[in-house]
Amino acid sequence: MRCFSTDFKAADMTLQTGRDYLAIPGPSVMPDRVLRAMHRAAPNIYEGELVDMVPGLLAGLKRVARTEGDCAIYIGNGHAGWEAAISNVFSRGDRALVCATGAFAHGWGEMATRMGVEIEVLEFGRQSAVDPAQLTARLAADPEGRIKAVMAVQVDTATSVRTDIAALRAAIDAAQHPALLMADCIACLACDVFEMDAWGCDVMVAGCQKGLMVPPGLAFVYFSARADAARETANCVTAYWDWRPRVAPDVFYNYFCGTAPTHHLYGLREALSMIEDEGIEAVWARHARIARAVWAAVEAWGEGGTVRLNAADPAIRSHAVTTVRAAPEQARQLRRWVRENAGLTLGKPIGMVSEDDPGGDGAFRIGHMGHLNAHMIMGALGAIEAGLTACEIPHGDGALSAAAGVLSRP
Ligand SMILES: *Cc1c(COP(=O)(O)O)cnc(C)c1O
């Protein structure tokens, strides 16, 4: 009796079937707990459980950012948060200094330009963090204090370069300049350490779809009392983006200037309780360890190969995302191989071409933010190693054992 067929078609075999890992730097992997929390009937938006849970969500969001300041929630992506932050701080004709370490500060600055703010860019390239000394020097040349705010990105998701936000505050203070400090932490909140109050940050923008593990759709704008004083006179602010009613609404409906993002709030509640259960410092430590495992693997591949970490100095590397430079065609082949053969999706390069490095658009990015543990990152690194081999991309040996070594040691 034949129990099974032996004439299966090996040619149709794929190694892709299984649980996918979307390792692009956002949206990140969504925990089943978050998805299950969102899978429910529409709740009442005027009273009951949803209304009762929002103050607790705001308290949780503030704990994640280490602030006792305010947090406004917007229905939108990170760009919505950018626009909200700009509109509450600036009047048309105000000046801002944008510190650029990749693609995203430019995007935020261009948005401000379109809203009537005069932008000046301090450019730090694609492989360096913001240099606080240059910031101090620039602000010292503005004795009248006409620059209203310094805008910086904590982790640029294109370059994976991380800037020390506390050092920017120190740089502003060293120039005895009144500028507000505005930070984009969209890529890295709840991944890289961030201490809003201790670091003297006035405005911080985040989104829910990266370290916070919720599907895209919520933006958070945190602000200090100093930033709210700027809001008093800001004439860019419009009814929808005004942060004031959103932090102290007369009725619940006005927390969101309209209907609440009901299911996102349930997802967020679950994600925040996962973070609280683990402890934010343990969450940071997990991201740090996983990031070091990724770096160890890439460094091993780079021995005798062409792939290399974009940020040479470990002190300026993000714990949320890693940009790996590689020859453009090889990077493309690798991304395709792991997607089609291993269920792993890596990030594309963005904005890596520069005059000093014209071939620089060759890169892939590994998102390691949010819901991620040791076996997931080892699986991703193993898939990349298989892809490097399959695509005949020269690379050094020992990447997986180097990564495992990092994970195994405190
Ligand atoms: C993802 C990201 C953004 C843009 O967020 P969207 O949700 O795509 O609008 C902005 N800044 C940084 C640093 C990011 O990582």
Side-chain angles (χ1 to χ4, degrees):
M1 195 182 80
R2 252 176 80 169
C3 300
F4 60 90
S5 164
T6 52
D7 60 355
F8 56 79
K9 295 198 192 100
D12 290 343
M13 192 276 280
T14 172
L15 295 170
Q16 189 188 20
T17 308
R19 185 166 282 219
D20 289 335
Y21 174 12
L22 182 68
I24 63 175
S28 64
V29 173
M30 292 177 284
D32 291 341
R33 274 178 65 177
V34 168
L35 292 174
R36 274 197 299 271
M38 298 178 75
H39 192 79
R40 62 172 71 217
N44 187 352
I45 59 162
Y46 298 107
E47 60 187 352
E49 188 188 29
L50 183 87
V51 171
D52 296 342
M53 81 187 192
V54 167
L57 291 182
L58 289 167
L61 286 168
K62 291 178 197 179
R63 281 194 293 273
V64 167
R66 305 277 216 167
T67 185
E68 292 182 354
D70 276 308
C71 176
I73 305 178
Y74 296 86
I75 302 178
N77 57 18
H79 283 70
W82 276 355
E83 183 154 329
I86 295 164
S87 73
N88 281 279
V89 167
F90 295 108
S91 293
R92 282 175 282 281
D94 278 350
R95 293 191 183 180
L97 193 56
V98 171
C99 301
T101 57
F104 286 84
H106 289 286
W108 198 12
E110 277 156 24
M111 189 177 253
T113 302
R114 291 191 60 182
M115 294 169 73
V117 181
E118 280 181 36
I119 290 300
E120 179 182 329
V121 177
L122 280 185
E123 178 61 64
F124 296 93
R126 287 159 191 76
Q127 293 178 290
S128 313
V130 175
D131 173 8
Q134 285 187 47
L135 178 59
T136 300
R138 177 61 192 91
L139 292 173
D142 177 37
E144 288 151 34
R146 295 201 53 204
I147 294 169
K148 190 159 191 184
V150 171
M151 297 163 70
V153 176
Q154 188 185 11
V155 166
D156 184 280
T157 322
T159 60
S160 69
V161 167
R162 182 178 43 143
T163 281
D164 181 346
I165 299 296
L168 301 192
R169 164 49 63 199
I172 296 169
D173 293 348
Q176 298 186 321
H177 195 284
L180 296 169
L181 176 57
M182 302 173 70
D184 167 351
C185 298
I186 298 169
C188 56
L189 185 68
C191 307
D192 283 288
V193 178
F194 182 76
E195 301 264 4
M196 177 140 181
D197 292 355
W199 294 359
C201 183
D202 294 296
V203 177
M204 188 271 274
V205 182
C208 67
Q209 80 273 26
K210 299 189 186 184
L212 294 182
M213 310 177 286
V214 176
L218 297 179
F220 310 111
V221 178
Y222 294 78
F223 57 95
S224 68
R226 277 188 76 216
D228 195 47
R231 151 69 187 77
E232 191 64 42
T233 54
N235 74 17
C236 286
V237 73
T238 54
Y240 188 77
W241 296 116
D242 193 355
W243 63 34
R244 284 197 170 160
R246 289 174 187 261
V247 300
D250 49 351
V251 290
F252 178 81
Y253 191 71
N254 289 336
Y255 263 121
F256 305 99
C257 196
T259 302
T262 50
H263 288 65
H264 274 77
L265 296 178
Y266 281 107
L268 179 65
R269 179 171 70 171
E270 197 64 26
L272 288 172
S273 41
M274 289 174 71
I275 290 171
E276 301 247 316
D277 291 349
E278 188 177 350
I280 186 68
E281 291 175 8
V283 171
W284 291 336
R286 172 167 53 83
H287 281 84
R289 184 81 68 83
I290 285 174
R292 286 198 286 115
V294 171
W295 307 339
V298 178
E299 276 162 0
W301 289 324
E303 298 280 328
T306 50
V307 301
R308 64 193 157 93
L309 291 163
N310 181 54
D313 176 2
I316 65 158
R317 291 181 198 150
S318 170
H319 297 162
V321 52
T322 296
T323 302
V324 183
R325 286 182 176 257
E329 191 47 39
Q330 292 180 342
R332 250 189 302 276
Q333 281 175 3
L334 176 73
R335 286 202 316 279
R336 183 168 175 179
W337 193 92
V338 297
R339 190 178 66 241
E340 292 181 353
N341 295 283
L344 172 69
T345 305
L346 296 170
K348 304 198 291 188
I350 38 177
M352 296 298 285
V353 192
S354 65
E355 276 168 26
D356 45 302
D357 188 5
D361 64 330
F364 60 91
R365 295 178 298 151
I366 308 170
H368 36 91
M369 48 180 62
H371 192 53
L372 186 69
N373 57 22
H375 87 74
M376 289 166 74
I377 202 63
M378 286 305 291
L381 295 172
I384 294 170
E385 173 137 331
L388 291 167
T389 306
C391 299
E392 297 178 359
I393 299 169
H395 61 280
D397 291 332
L400 294 179
S401 53
V406 169
L407 295 177
S408 67
R409 286 187 301 270

